[in-house]
Amino acid sequence: MNYFSLFLLLFISFSGHARDSLPAVLKRMHTDSAVKLAYQERKDLALMAQPWHGEGFLYSLPKAGVMIKQQLKPEPILMAVIGQQLFYYDIKNQVHHQGLLDDSNPFSLNIAVFKALMSQDMLLLERFYQLDFLSLTNRWQLILKDKNDPDSAFKIIISGPLQQPADHIDIQQADGDSSTMSLSKIAEGKGVEQEIEQLLRQLTQSIR
């Protein structure tokens, strides 16, 4: 399944009574400290009779260019982006992969999107997407569309309560597959940075 990635023009539309703004949202999400978020994920795939469910943690260390997805259920898997390097480790089956971020790979692209939001890297977002920002009655939405085909079914919707960081990422693929990830921040700071270091050791040692 496709997961977890800039146009010269930034398209931002606000509702008539805007209560939030894209710069304010990015400022809330940005931090130089290590951050740990719990996530729950659901994927609806055409090739599967039942939705797929997963859960685990997301880690971000923007100053080092590190993003980690630690899937705990249904099976333990570690995925990480370190700079432009992409790492994957299936712990149960002892399968690992390493490569470069690929702009044509939706998994790489979606990871890059989350990384860009955490680091306020608007140039990265604008490189790949048309952006529409909406401030609704109770929530804000940042809608990312394919800059080359904005009328296609593909879109990524990042949303959260007004005056709060993102708590949902919804991805709709052009082929009809979709996924939803709910997020909640649970820790920040030096302790999280130490957890990240331990996970990176586990990940890099697995590929030696």
Side-chain angles (χ1 to χ4, degrees):
M1 165 57 184
N2 295 329
Y3 287 87
F4 282 139
S5 53
L6 265 146
F7 203 9
L8 295 177
L9 214 52
L10 175 63
F11 297 97
I12 305 176
S13 60
F14 297 88
S15 64
H17 301 284
R19 298 178 178 84
D20 221 329
S21 68
L22 181 56
V25 166
L26 293 174
K27 185 176 180 179
R28 286 196 297 271
M29 293 187 67
H30 173 70
T31 177
D32 291 325
S33 300
V35 176
K36 180 180 182 179
L37 304 101
Y39 78 84
Q40 294 190 346
E41 189 173 11
R42 169 183 168 139
K43 303 175 192 172
D44 292 282
L45 312 177
L47 297 179
M48 296 180 65
Q50 300 294 328
W52 179 94
H53 294 272
E55 62 182 76
F57 299 104
L58 291 175
Y59 296 83
S60 174
L61 185 56
K63 66 181 182 181
V66 173
M67 179 71 65
I68 298 175
K69 182 178 183 182
Q70 182 188 27
Q71 178 181 296
L72 299 178
K73 296 181 180 180
E75 63 274 327
I77 293 175
L78 276 178
M79 291 166 278
V81 174
I82 306 173
Q84 293 300 309
Q85 291 286 326
L86 180 65
F87 298 86
Y88 174 95
Y89 179 34
D90 180 335
I91 299 172
K92 179 180 178 181
N93 298 304
Q94 293 294 294
V95 175
H96 55 79
H97 301 287
Q98 179 181 358
L100 293 174
L101 283 175
D102 180 0
D103 293 350
S104 65
N105 183 330
F107 167 67
S108 298
L109 205 55
N110 296 334
I111 288 288
V113 165
F114 190 77
K115 184 178 176 182
L117 289 171
M118 295 297 288
S119 61
Q120 295 191 87
D121 189 348
M122 291 303 299
L123 291 178
L124 177 62
L125 293 179
E126 292 167 0
R127 178 180 171 192
F128 297 112
Y129 297 107
Q130 171 182 309
L131 278 66
D132 297 302
F133 183 83
L134 300 175
S135 184
L136 307 173
T137 303
N138 297 313
R139 295 179 65 81
W140 59 264
Q141 289 185 346
L142 176 59
I143 304 170
L144 285 66
K145 301 177 182 178
D146 184 345
K147 70 169 186 177
N148 296 315
D149 189 9
D151 295 326
S152 72
F154 171 81
K155 66 176 63 175
I156 300 174
I157 302 175
I158 303 159
S159 63
L162 294 180
Q163 310 304 322
Q164 298 294 324
D167 63 4
H168 276 83
I169 300 177
D170 299 299
I171 302 172
Q172 178 68 54
Q173 300 289 350
D175 60 6
D177 289 350
S178 63
S179 67
T180 298
M181 181 182 288
S182 60
L183 306 168
S184 59
K185 180 178 174 181
I186 59 174
E188 180 176 358
K190 192 63 178 179
V192 176
E193 190 167 344
Q194 292 172 348
E195 288 187 62
I196 290 174
E197 291 172 356
Q198 292 173 355
L199 290 171
L200 289 178
R201 281 196 296 269
Q202 180 182 1
L203 188 59
T204 55
Q205 287 172 0
S206 73
I207 61 176
R208 291 177 181 174

